[in-house]
């Protein structure tokens, strides 16, 4: 399994080191009576002082850590091992954009003290992905002619709003919502194109579908989770955030997988 991917060994080492840090912080939490260390290495935010050091809370934080360890393994292991295919300039450019978007989505999670800058960075990188995605598709799919326009409206508009950082009265009412919807529509079209293109695995597309739908589930469950304190809500949000990271990274990996061998023809029937 480790050698199935080009960077499987270093990816596993990094994920294992992270898990060891999480495990150490989990052991220290009951001993010290503080959740600070465990909270910071799993949720990457300042600890809620009202959160009690109980085993349920420790387990919830460990679950968030497991989600991040899985995301590290998925995003760092690289393409499948084997002779890499010859990629044209457009595919190489898209891969770079997808990796940059994955890195930006990671920054959104681990640098909460700089939300405006990371939001602008992520939106701008996704604008580049939007521009580079459609030209590399293998098939002339229907309903994707306007993918670029919809995506630029969604992510470009989000970058502009984040950069303005001014009073709400300067932004026309409803326009941010239009950009959010446009970004969601682009994601749906991109997932549909991936499903039919043939270079991306079904599991990768399912990660993208989960990344698209999970925030709505989190919004629905938010009031219920908030009743138990910020810990459960923040942990669920961290787990949801890993899905987009995994989708972007796997989408980049699989563009450079070795060419798949055609299936062997069925053996002729015995006379």
């Amino acid at each position: 399994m480790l050698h199935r991917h080009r960077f499987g060994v270093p990816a596993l080492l990094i994920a294992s080191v992270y898990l060891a840090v999480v495990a150490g912080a989990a052991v220290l939490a009951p001993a010290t009576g503080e959740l600070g260390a465990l909270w910071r290495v799993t949720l990457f935010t300042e600890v809620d002082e009202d959160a009690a050091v109980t085993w349920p809370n420790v387990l919830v934080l460990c679950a968030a850590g497991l989600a991040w360890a899985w995301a590290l393994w998925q995003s760092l292991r690289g393409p499948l091992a084997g002779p890499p295919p010859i990629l044209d300039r457009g595919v190489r450019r898209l891969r770079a954009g997808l990796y940059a978007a994955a890195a930006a989505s990671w920054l959104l999670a681990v640098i909460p003290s700089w939300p405006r800058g990371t939001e602008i960075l992520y939106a701008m990188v996704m604008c580049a992905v939007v521009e580079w995605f459609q030209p590399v598709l293998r098939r002339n799919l229907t309903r994707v002619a306007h993918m670029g326009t919809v995506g630029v409206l969604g992510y470009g508009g989000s970058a502009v709003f984040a950069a303005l950082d001014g009073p709400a009265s300067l932004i026309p009412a409803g326009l941010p919502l239009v950009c959010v919807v446009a970004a969601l529509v682009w994601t749906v079209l991109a997932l549909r194109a991936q499903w039919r293109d043939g270079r991306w695995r079904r599991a990768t597309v399912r990660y993208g579908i989960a990344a698209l739908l999970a925030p709505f589930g989190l919004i629905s469950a938010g009031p219920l989770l908030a009743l138990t304190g910020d810990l459960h809500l923040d942990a669920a949000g961290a787990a949801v955030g890993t899905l987009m990271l995994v989708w972007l990274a796997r989408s980049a990996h699989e563009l450079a997988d070795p060419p798949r061998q055609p299936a062997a023809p069925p053996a002729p029937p015995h006379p």
Side-chain angles (χ1 to χ4, degrees), residues 31-95:
T32 61
E34 296 181 356
L35 285 174
L38 182 59
W39 191 295
R40 289 185 181 90
V41 299
T42 56
L43 304 185
F44 310 107
T45 60
E46 291 299 320
V47 64
D48 181 2
E49 299 297 339
D50 295 330
V53 183
T54 63
W55 279 113
N57 286 347
V58 170
L59 290 176
V60 167
L61 291 173
C62 287
L66 285 174
W68 277 112
W70 180 250
L72 284 171
W73 159 251
Q74 290 283 323
S75 58
L76 297 177
R77 66 187 188 180
L80 291 175
I86 299 175
L87 304 178
D88 60 33
R89 181 173 179 269
V91 176
R92 292 197 305 269
R93 187 171 57 182
L94 176 60
R95 283 191 74 222

Short mmCIF file of all heavy atoms in Angstrom, two decimals, residues 31-95:
data_model
loop_
_atom_site.label_atom_id
_atom_site.label_comp_id
_atom_site.label_asym_id
_atom_site.label_seq_id
_atom_site.Cartn_x
_atom_site.Cartn_y
_atom_site.Cartn_z
N ALA A 31 -4.60 14.68 32.41
CA ALA A 31 -3.57 14.79 33.44
C ALA A 31 -3.36 16.24 33.88
O ALA A 31 -3.11 16.51 35.07
CB ALA A 31 -2.25 14.22 32.92
N THR A 32 -3.46 17.18 32.94
CA THR A 32 -3.25 18.58 33.26
C THR A 32 -4.53 19.34 33.55
O THR A 32 -4.49 20.45 34.07
CB THR A 32 -2.52 19.27 32.09
OG1 THR A 32 -3.34 19.18 30.90
CG2 THR A 32 -1.17 18.62 31.84
N GLY A 33 -5.67 18.73 33.16
CA GLY A 33 -6.95 19.41 33.36
C GLY A 33 -7.18 20.52 32.37
O GLY A 33 -8.03 21.39 32.60
N GLU A 34 -6.49 20.51 31.23
CA GLU A 34 -6.65 21.55 30.22
C GLU A 34 -6.76 20.92 28.84
O GLU A 34 -6.06 19.94 28.53
CB GLU A 34 -5.46 22.52 30.25
CG GLU A 34 -5.34 23.31 31.53
CD GLU A 34 -4.17 24.27 31.50
OE1 GLU A 34 -3.42 24.24 30.48
OE2 GLU A 34 -4.01 25.04 32.47
N LEU A 35 -7.61 21.51 28.00
CA LEU A 35 -7.79 21.04 26.63
C LEU A 35 -6.99 21.86 25.62
O LEU A 35 -7.06 21.60 24.42
CB LEU A 35 -9.27 21.09 26.23
CG LEU A 35 -10.19 20.02 26.80
CD1 LEU A 35 -11.65 20.33 26.42
CD2 LEU A 35 -9.80 18.64 26.31
N GLY A 36 -6.22 22.84 26.11
CA GLY A 36 -5.59 23.79 25.21
C GLY A 36 -4.75 23.16 24.12
O GLY A 36 -4.94 23.45 22.93
N ALA A 37 -3.83 22.27 24.47
CA ALA A 37 -2.93 21.69 23.48
C ALA A 37 -3.71 20.84 22.48
O ALA A 37 -3.50 20.94 21.26
CB ALA A 37 -1.86 20.85 24.18
N LEU A 38 -4.59 19.99 22.97
CA LEU A 38 -5.36 19.12 22.08
C LEU A 38 -6.27 19.94 21.18
O LEU A 38 -6.43 19.64 20.00
CB LEU A 38 -6.19 18.14 22.91
CG LEU A 38 -7.02 17.12 22.13
CD1 LEU A 38 -6.14 16.26 21.23
CD2 LEU A 38 -7.83 16.24 23.09
N TRP A 39 -6.85 20.98 21.72
CA TRP A 39 -7.74 21.85 20.94
C TRP A 39 -6.97 22.51 19.80
O TRP A 39 -7.44 22.56 18.67
CB TRP A 39 -8.34 22.90 21.88
CG TRP A 39 -9.46 23.72 21.31
CD1 TRP A 39 -9.40 24.59 20.26
CD2 TRP A 39 -10.82 23.72 21.75
NE1 TRP A 39 -10.62 25.17 20.03
CE2 TRP A 39 -11.52 24.65 20.93
CE3 TRP A 39 -11.50 23.07 22.76
CZ2 TRP A 39 -12.87 24.92 21.11
CZ3 TRP A 39 -12.85 23.34 22.93
CH2 TRP A 39 -13.53 24.24 22.10
N ARG A 40 -5.78 23.01 20.11
CA ARG A 40 -5.01 23.76 19.09
C ARG A 40 -4.50 22.87 17.97
O ARG A 40 -4.43 23.30 16.82
CB ARG A 40 -3.86 24.49 19.76
CG ARG A 40 -4.30 25.67 20.62
CD ARG A 40 -3.11 26.44 21.18
NE ARG A 40 -3.55 27.55 22.01
CZ ARG A 40 -3.77 27.46 23.32
NH1 ARG A 40 -3.58 26.30 23.93
NH2 ARG A 40 -4.17 28.50 24.01
N VAL A 41 -4.13 21.63 18.28
CA VAL A 41 -3.59 20.77 17.22
C VAL A 41 -4.67 20.06 16.41
O VAL A 41 -4.36 19.43 15.40
CB VAL A 41 -2.63 19.71 17.80
CG1 VAL A 41 -1.45 20.38 18.50
CG2 VAL A 41 -3.35 18.75 18.75
N THR A 42 -5.93 20.17 16.83
CA THR A 42 -7.02 19.54 16.07
C THR A 42 -7.98 20.55 15.46
O THR A 42 -8.45 20.36 14.34
CB THR A 42 -7.81 18.58 16.95
OG1 THR A 42 -8.30 19.28 18.11
CG2 THR A 42 -6.95 17.40 17.39
N LEU A 43 -8.24 21.65 16.17
CA LEU A 43 -9.15 22.68 15.66
C LEU A 43 -8.43 23.95 15.24
O LEU A 43 -9.02 24.79 14.58
CB LEU A 43 -10.22 23.02 16.73
CG LEU A 43 -11.05 21.85 17.26
CD1 LEU A 43 -12.13 22.36 18.20
CD2 LEU A 43 -11.67 21.06 16.12
N PHE A 44 -7.17 24.09 15.65
CA PHE A 44 -6.32 25.22 15.24
C PHE A 44 -6.89 26.57 15.66
O PHE A 44 -6.68 27.58 14.98
CB PHE A 44 -6.10 25.19 13.72
CG PHE A 44 -5.66 23.85 13.22
CD1 PHE A 44 -6.53 23.04 12.50
CD2 PHE A 44 -4.39 23.37 13.48
CE1 PHE A 44 -6.14 21.79 12.05
CE2 PHE A 44 -3.99 22.12 13.03
CZ PHE A 44 -4.87 21.33 12.31
N THR A 45 -7.64 26.61 16.75
CA THR A 45 -8.18 27.86 17.27
C THR A 45 -7.87 27.92 18.76
O THR A 45 -7.40 26.95 19.36
CB THR A 45 -9.71 27.94 17.07
OG1 THR A 45 -10.33 26.84 17.74
CG2 THR A 45 -10.06 27.90 15.59
N GLU A 46 -8.15 29.09 19.35
CA GLU A 46 -7.97 29.23 20.79
C GLU A 46 -9.03 28.42 21.53
O GLU A 46 -10.18 28.35 21.11
CB GLU A 46 -8.07 30.71 21.20
CG GLU A 46 -6.90 31.55 20.71
CD GLU A 46 -5.58 31.07 21.28
OE1 GLU A 46 -5.55 30.72 22.48
OE2 GLU A 46 -4.58 31.05 20.54
N VAL A 47 -8.61 27.83 22.62
CA VAL A 47 -9.49 26.94 23.36
C VAL A 47 -10.63 27.70 24.01
O VAL A 47 -10.48 28.85 24.44
CB VAL A 47 -8.69 26.17 24.43
CG1 VAL A 47 -8.11 27.11 25.47
CG2 VAL A 47 -9.55 25.11 25.09
N ASP A 48 -11.80 27.08 24.04
CA ASP A 48 -12.94 27.61 24.77
C ASP A 48 -12.73 27.29 26.24
O ASP A 48 -12.72 26.13 26.64
CB ASP A 48 -14.22 26.98 24.24
CG ASP A 48 -15.46 27.50 24.95
OD1 ASP A 48 -15.32 28.39 25.82
OD2 ASP A 48 -16.58 27.02 24.65
N GLU A 49 -12.57 28.32 27.05
CA GLU A 49 -12.27 28.11 28.46
C GLU A 49 -13.40 27.41 29.20
O GLU A 49 -13.19 26.85 30.28
CB GLU A 49 -11.96 29.46 29.14
CG GLU A 49 -10.76 30.18 28.56
CD GLU A 49 -9.46 29.41 28.74
OE1 GLU A 49 -9.42 28.54 29.63
OE2 GLU A 49 -8.51 29.65 27.99
N ASP A 50 -14.61 27.46 28.63
CA ASP A 50 -15.74 26.82 29.30
C ASP A 50 -15.83 25.33 28.99
O ASP A 50 -16.66 24.63 29.57
CB ASP A 50 -17.05 27.49 28.87
CG ASP A 50 -17.12 28.95 29.33
OD1 ASP A 50 -16.53 29.25 30.38
OD2 ASP A 50 -17.75 29.77 28.63
N ALA A 51 -15.02 24.84 28.07
CA ALA A 51 -15.07 23.42 27.71
C ALA A 51 -14.43 22.59 28.81
O ALA A 51 -13.28 22.82 29.21
CB ALA A 51 -14.35 23.18 26.38
N ALA A 52 -15.18 21.62 29.28
CA ALA A 52 -14.68 20.78 30.37
C ALA A 52 -13.79 19.68 29.82
O ALA A 52 -13.96 19.21 28.69
CB ALA A 52 -15.86 20.15 31.13
N VAL A 53 -12.81 19.27 30.62
CA VAL A 53 -11.92 18.18 30.24
C VAL A 53 -12.61 16.86 30.60
O VAL A 53 -12.42 16.32 31.69
CB VAL A 53 -10.56 18.30 30.94
CG1 VAL A 53 -9.62 17.19 30.45
CG2 VAL A 53 -9.94 19.66 30.67
N THR A 54 -13.43 16.38 29.69
CA THR A 54 -14.11 15.10 29.87
C THR A 54 -13.71 14.17 28.74
O THR A 54 -13.28 14.62 27.67
CB THR A 54 -15.63 15.29 29.87
OG1 THR A 54 -16.05 15.81 28.59
CG2 THR A 54 -16.07 16.27 30.96
N TRP A 55 -13.86 12.88 28.99
CA TRP A 55 -13.49 11.93 27.94
C TRP A 55 -14.32 12.11 26.67
O TRP A 55 -13.77 12.00 25.57
CB TRP A 55 -13.58 10.50 28.46
CG TRP A 55 -12.37 10.11 29.25
CD1 TRP A 55 -12.30 9.84 30.59
CD2 TRP A 55 -11.04 10.01 28.75
NE1 TRP A 55 -11.00 9.57 30.97
CE2 TRP A 55 -10.20 9.66 29.85
CE3 TRP A 55 -10.45 10.17 27.51
CZ2 TRP A 55 -8.83 9.47 29.74
CZ3 TRP A 55 -9.07 9.98 27.39
CH2 TRP A 55 -8.28 9.63 28.48
N PRO A 56 -15.64 12.40 26.75
CA PRO A 56 -16.37 12.68 25.50
C PRO A 56 -15.78 13.84 24.72
O PRO A 56 -15.66 13.78 23.49
CB PRO A 56 -17.80 12.97 25.99
CG PRO A 56 -17.91 12.21 27.26
CD PRO A 56 -16.56 12.30 27.90
N ASN A 57 -15.40 14.92 25.40
CA ASN A 57 -14.81 16.06 24.71
C ASN A 57 -13.45 15.70 24.11
O ASN A 57 -13.11 16.12 23.00
CB ASN A 57 -14.67 17.24 25.65
CG ASN A 57 -15.99 17.92 25.95
OD1 ASN A 57 -16.99 17.67 25.27
ND2 ASN A 57 -16.02 18.75 26.97
N VAL A 58 -12.66 14.94 24.86
CA VAL A 58 -11.37 14.52 24.34
C VAL A 58 -11.55 13.65 23.11
O VAL A 58 -10.83 13.79 22.10
CB VAL A 58 -10.58 13.77 25.43
CG1 VAL A 58 -9.33 13.10 24.84
CG2 VAL A 58 -10.18 14.72 26.55
N LEU A 59 -12.52 12.75 23.13
CA LEU A 59 -12.75 11.87 21.99
C LEU A 59 -13.24 12.65 20.77
O LEU A 59 -12.87 12.33 19.63
CB LEU A 59 -13.77 10.78 22.36
CG LEU A 59 -13.27 9.74 23.37
CD1 LEU A 59 -14.39 8.77 23.74
CD2 LEU A 59 -12.07 8.97 22.82
N VAL A 60 -14.05 13.67 20.98
CA VAL A 60 -14.52 14.49 19.86
C VAL A 60 -13.34 15.19 19.20
O VAL A 60 -13.23 15.25 17.97
CB VAL A 60 -15.58 15.51 20.34
CG1 VAL A 60 -15.83 16.57 19.28
CG2 VAL A 60 -16.88 14.79 20.68
N LEU A 61 -12.45 15.74 20.01
CA LEU A 61 -11.27 16.40 19.45
C LEU A 61 -10.36 15.40 18.75
O LEU A 61 -9.77 15.71 17.70
CB LEU A 61 -10.51 17.13 20.56
CG LEU A 61 -11.22 18.35 21.16
CD1 LEU A 61 -10.45 18.87 22.35
CD2 LEU A 61 -11.40 19.44 20.11
N CYS A 62 -10.24 14.21 19.30
CA CYS A 62 -9.42 13.18 18.64
C CYS A 62 -10.03 12.79 17.30
O CYS A 62 -9.30 12.50 16.33
CB CYS A 62 -9.29 11.95 19.54
SG CYS A 62 -8.19 12.20 20.94
N ALA A 63 -11.36 12.76 17.22
CA ALA A 63 -12.02 12.45 15.95
C ALA A 63 -11.69 13.51 14.90
O ALA A 63 -11.45 13.19 13.73
CB ALA A 63 -13.53 12.35 16.15
N ALA A 64 -11.67 14.78 15.31
CA ALA A 64 -11.26 15.84 14.39
C ALA A 64 -9.81 15.64 13.96
O ALA A 64 -9.46 15.85 12.79
CB ALA A 64 -11.45 17.21 15.04
N GLY A 65 -8.96 15.21 14.89
CA GLY A 65 -7.57 14.94 14.54
C GLY A 65 -7.43 13.80 13.55
O GLY A 65 -6.61 13.85 12.63
N LEU A 66 -8.25 12.75 13.72
CA LEU A 66 -8.23 11.64 12.76
C LEU A 66 -8.62 12.11 11.37
O LEU A 66 -8.04 11.67 10.37
CB LEU A 66 -9.17 10.54 13.23
CG LEU A 66 -8.69 9.68 14.40
CD1 LEU A 66 -9.79 8.73 14.85
CD2 LEU A 66 -7.44 8.88 14.01
N ALA A 67 -9.61 13.01 11.30
CA ALA A 67 -10.01 13.54 9.99
C ALA A 67 -8.86 14.29 9.33
O ALA A 67 -8.62 14.15 8.12
CB ALA A 67 -11.23 14.45 10.15
N TRP A 68 -8.10 15.07 10.11
CA TRP A 68 -6.98 15.80 9.55
C TRP A 68 -5.83 14.87 9.16
O TRP A 68 -5.16 15.10 8.15
CB TRP A 68 -6.49 16.87 10.53
CG TRP A 68 -7.30 18.12 10.45
CD1 TRP A 68 -8.15 18.62 11.39
CD2 TRP A 68 -7.36 19.02 9.35
NE1 TRP A 68 -8.73 19.77 10.94
CE2 TRP A 68 -8.26 20.05 9.68
CE3 TRP A 68 -6.74 19.07 8.10
CZ2 TRP A 68 -8.56 21.11 8.84
CZ3 TRP A 68 -7.03 20.13 7.25
CH2 TRP A 68 -7.93 21.12 7.61
N ALA A 69 -5.62 13.81 9.95
CA ALA A 69 -4.58 12.84 9.58
C ALA A 69 -4.93 12.16 8.26
O ALA A 69 -4.05 11.95 7.41
CB ALA A 69 -4.43 11.81 10.70
N TRP A 70 -6.19 11.80 8.09
CA TRP A 70 -6.62 11.20 6.84
C TRP A 70 -6.43 12.17 5.68
O TRP A 70 -5.99 11.79 4.59
CB TRP A 70 -8.07 10.77 6.94
CG TRP A 70 -8.61 10.13 5.70
CD1 TRP A 70 -9.53 10.65 4.83
CD2 TRP A 70 -8.28 8.83 5.18
NE1 TRP A 70 -9.78 9.77 3.80
CE2 TRP A 70 -9.02 8.65 4.00
CE3 TRP A 70 -7.41 7.82 5.59
CZ2 TRP A 70 -8.92 7.49 3.23
CZ3 TRP A 70 -7.31 6.66 4.83
CH2 TRP A 70 -8.06 6.51 3.67
N ALA A 71 -6.76 13.44 5.90
CA ALA A 71 -6.58 14.45 4.85
C ALA A 71 -5.11 14.61 4.50
O ALA A 71 -4.75 14.79 3.32
CB ALA A 71 -7.18 15.78 5.29
N LEU A 72 -4.22 14.57 5.50
CA LEU A 72 -2.79 14.66 5.23
C LEU A 72 -2.33 13.49 4.37
O LEU A 72 -1.58 13.67 3.40
CB LEU A 72 -2.01 14.68 6.54
CG LEU A 72 -2.02 16.00 7.33
CD1 LEU A 72 -1.38 15.79 8.69
CD2 LEU A 72 -1.28 17.09 6.56
N TRP A 73 -2.76 12.29 4.71
CA TRP A 73 -2.37 11.11 3.94
C TRP A 73 -2.88 11.21 2.51
O TRP A 73 -2.14 10.98 1.55
CB TRP A 73 -2.89 9.86 4.63
CG TRP A 73 -3.01 8.66 3.74
CD1 TRP A 73 -4.16 8.08 3.29
CD2 TRP A 73 -1.94 7.89 3.17
NE1 TRP A 73 -3.88 7.01 2.48
CE2 TRP A 73 -2.53 6.87 2.39
CE3 TRP A 73 -0.56 7.98 3.22
CZ2 TRP A 73 -1.77 5.94 1.68
CZ3 TRP A 73 0.20 7.06 2.52
CH2 TRP A 73 -0.41 6.05 1.77
N GLN A 74 -4.14 11.57 2.35
CA GLN A 74 -4.74 11.64 1.03
C GLN A 74 -4.09 12.72 0.17
O GLN A 74 -3.91 12.54 -1.04
CB GLN A 74 -6.24 11.92 1.15
CG GLN A 74 -7.06 10.78 1.71
CD GLN A 74 -7.30 9.70 0.67
OE1 GLN A 74 -7.49 9.97 -0.50
NE2 GLN A 74 -7.27 8.45 1.11
N SER A 75 -3.74 13.84 0.76
CA SER A 75 -3.24 14.96 -0.04
C SER A 75 -1.74 14.90 -0.30
O SER A 75 -1.28 15.46 -1.30
CB SER A 75 -3.57 16.28 0.67
OG SER A 75 -3.01 16.33 1.97
N LEU A 76 -0.98 14.23 0.56
CA LEU A 76 0.48 14.21 0.41
C LEU A 76 1.01 12.98 -0.31
O LEU A 76 2.17 12.96 -0.72
CB LEU A 76 1.15 14.31 1.78
CG LEU A 76 0.89 15.60 2.57
CD1 LEU A 76 1.57 15.51 3.93
CD2 LEU A 76 1.37 16.82 1.80
N ARG A 77 0.19 11.94 -0.50
CA ARG A 77 0.72 10.68 -1.04
C ARG A 77 1.02 10.74 -2.53
O ARG A 77 1.74 9.91 -3.07
CB ARG A 77 -0.25 9.55 -0.75
CG ARG A 77 -1.57 9.67 -1.48
CD ARG A 77 -2.56 8.63 -1.04
NE ARG A 77 -3.75 8.64 -1.87
CZ ARG A 77 -4.79 7.83 -1.69
NH1 ARG A 77 -4.75 6.95 -0.70
NH2 ARG A 77 -5.82 7.88 -2.49
N GLY A 78 0.46 11.72 -3.23
CA GLY A 78 0.77 11.90 -4.64
C GLY A 78 0.04 10.93 -5.55
O GLY A 78 -0.79 10.13 -5.11
N PRO A 79 0.37 10.96 -6.84
CA PRO A 79 -0.26 10.05 -7.80
C PRO A 79 0.17 8.61 -7.55
O PRO A 79 1.05 8.32 -6.74
CB PRO A 79 0.24 10.55 -9.16
CG PRO A 79 0.78 11.92 -8.90
CD PRO A 79 1.26 11.92 -7.48
N LEU A 80 -0.45 7.70 -8.29
CA LEU A 80 -0.06 6.30 -8.22
C LEU A 80 1.37 6.13 -8.72
O LEU A 80 1.83 6.86 -9.61
CB LEU A 80 -1.01 5.44 -9.05
CG LEU A 80 -2.44 5.30 -8.53
CD1 LEU A 80 -3.28 4.51 -9.54
CD2 LEU A 80 -2.47 4.62 -7.17
N ALA A 81 2.08 5.16 -8.16
CA ALA A 81 3.43 4.87 -8.60
C ALA A 81 3.42 4.29 -10.00
O ALA A 81 2.44 3.66 -10.42
CB ALA A 81 4.11 3.90 -7.63
N GLY A 82 4.50 4.51 -10.71
CA GLY A 82 4.59 4.02 -12.07
C GLY A 82 5.07 5.11 -13.00
O GLY A 82 5.24 6.27 -12.59
N PRO A 83 5.29 4.77 -14.25
CA PRO A 83 5.76 5.79 -15.20
C PRO A 83 4.73 6.89 -15.38
O PRO A 83 3.57 6.60 -15.74
CB PRO A 83 5.97 4.99 -16.50
CG PRO A 83 5.11 3.78 -16.34
CD PRO A 83 5.10 3.46 -14.89
N PRO A 84 5.09 8.13 -15.10
CA PRO A 84 4.11 9.21 -15.23
C PRO A 84 3.77 9.46 -16.70
O PRO A 84 4.62 9.29 -17.59
CB PRO A 84 4.83 10.41 -14.62
CG PRO A 84 6.28 10.11 -14.77
CD PRO A 84 6.40 8.61 -14.66
N PRO A 85 2.55 9.85 -16.97
CA PRO A 85 2.18 10.15 -18.36
C PRO A 85 2.79 11.48 -18.81
O PRO A 85 3.23 12.29 -18.00
CB PRO A 85 0.66 10.23 -18.29
CG PRO A 85 0.38 10.71 -16.90
CD PRO A 85 1.44 10.09 -16.03
N ILE A 86 2.82 11.66 -20.09
CA ILE A 86 3.26 12.94 -20.66
C ILE A 86 2.07 13.89 -20.62
O ILE A 86 1.04 13.65 -21.27
CB ILE A 86 3.78 12.76 -22.09
CG1 ILE A 86 4.99 11.81 -22.09
CG2 ILE A 86 4.17 14.11 -22.69
CD1 ILE A 86 5.50 11.48 -23.49
N LEU A 87 2.20 14.95 -19.84
CA LEU A 87 1.10 15.89 -19.66
C LEU A 87 1.34 17.13 -20.51
O LEU A 87 2.46 17.65 -20.57
CB LEU A 87 0.98 16.29 -18.19
CG LEU A 87 0.79 15.15 -17.18
CD1 LEU A 87 0.74 15.71 -15.77
CD2 LEU A 87 -0.45 14.34 -17.50
N ASP A 88 0.28 17.60 -21.13
CA ASP A 88 0.42 18.84 -21.89
C ASP A 88 0.39 20.03 -20.93
O ASP A 88 0.15 19.90 -19.73
CB ASP A 88 -0.66 18.96 -22.97
CG ASP A 88 -2.06 18.96 -22.40
OD1 ASP A 88 -2.27 19.48 -21.28
OD2 ASP A 88 -2.97 18.44 -23.07
N ARG A 89 0.63 21.20 -21.49
CA ARG A 89 0.76 22.40 -20.66
C ARG A 89 -0.52 22.70 -19.89
O ARG A 89 -0.47 23.10 -18.73
CB ARG A 89 1.13 23.58 -21.56
CG ARG A 89 1.32 24.90 -20.81
CD ARG A 89 1.85 25.98 -21.73
NE ARG A 89 2.01 27.25 -21.04
CZ ARG A 89 1.06 28.17 -20.97
NH1 ARG A 89 -0.11 27.97 -21.57
NH2 ARG A 89 1.27 29.31 -20.31
N GLY A 90 -1.66 22.48 -20.51
CA GLY A 90 -2.92 22.78 -19.84
C GLY A 90 -3.16 21.91 -18.63
O GLY A 90 -3.61 22.39 -17.58
N VAL A 91 -2.84 20.61 -18.73
CA VAL A 91 -3.03 19.70 -17.60
C VAL A 91 -2.06 20.03 -16.49
O VAL A 91 -2.41 20.02 -15.30
CB VAL A 91 -2.90 18.24 -18.06
CG1 VAL A 91 -2.99 17.29 -16.87
CG2 VAL A 91 -3.97 17.90 -19.08
N ARG A 92 -0.80 20.31 -16.85
CA ARG A 92 0.18 20.67 -15.81
C ARG A 92 -0.26 21.93 -15.07
O ARG A 92 -0.12 22.03 -13.85
CB ARG A 92 1.56 20.88 -16.45
CG ARG A 92 2.19 19.62 -17.00
CD ARG A 92 3.69 19.82 -17.22
NE ARG A 92 3.96 20.98 -18.06
CZ ARG A 92 4.07 20.95 -19.38
NH1 ARG A 92 3.91 19.81 -20.04
NH2 ARG A 92 4.34 22.04 -20.07
N ARG A 93 -0.78 22.88 -15.82
CA ARG A 93 -1.24 24.12 -15.19
C ARG A 93 -2.42 23.88 -14.26
O ARG A 93 -2.49 24.43 -13.15
CB ARG A 93 -1.62 25.11 -16.31
CG ARG A 93 -1.95 26.50 -15.85
CD ARG A 93 -2.08 27.42 -17.04
NE ARG A 93 -3.10 26.93 -17.98
CZ ARG A 93 -3.40 27.52 -19.14
NH1 ARG A 93 -2.73 28.60 -19.51
NH2 ARG A 93 -4.32 27.03 -19.94
N LEU A 94 -3.36 23.03 -14.68
CA LEU A 94 -4.51 22.72 -13.84
C LEU A 94 -4.06 22.00 -12.57
O LEU A 94 -4.57 22.28 -11.47
CB LEU A 94 -5.52 21.87 -14.61
CG LEU A 94 -6.73 21.39 -13.79
CD1 LEU A 94 -7.51 22.57 -13.23
CD2 LEU A 94 -7.64 20.50 -14.64
N ARG A 95 -3.13 21.05 -12.70
CA ARG A 95 -2.63 20.34 -11.51
C ARG A 95 -2.03 21.33 -10.51
O ARG A 95 -2.28 21.24 -9.30
CB ARG A 95 -1.56 19.32 -11.90
CG ARG A 95 -2.07 18.05 -12.52
CD ARG A 95 -0.96 17.02 -12.60
NE ARG A 95 -0.67 16.46 -11.29
CZ ARG A 95 0.54 16.23 -10.81
NH1 ARG A 95 1.61 16.55 -11.54
NH2 ARG A 95 0.72 15.69 -9.63
#
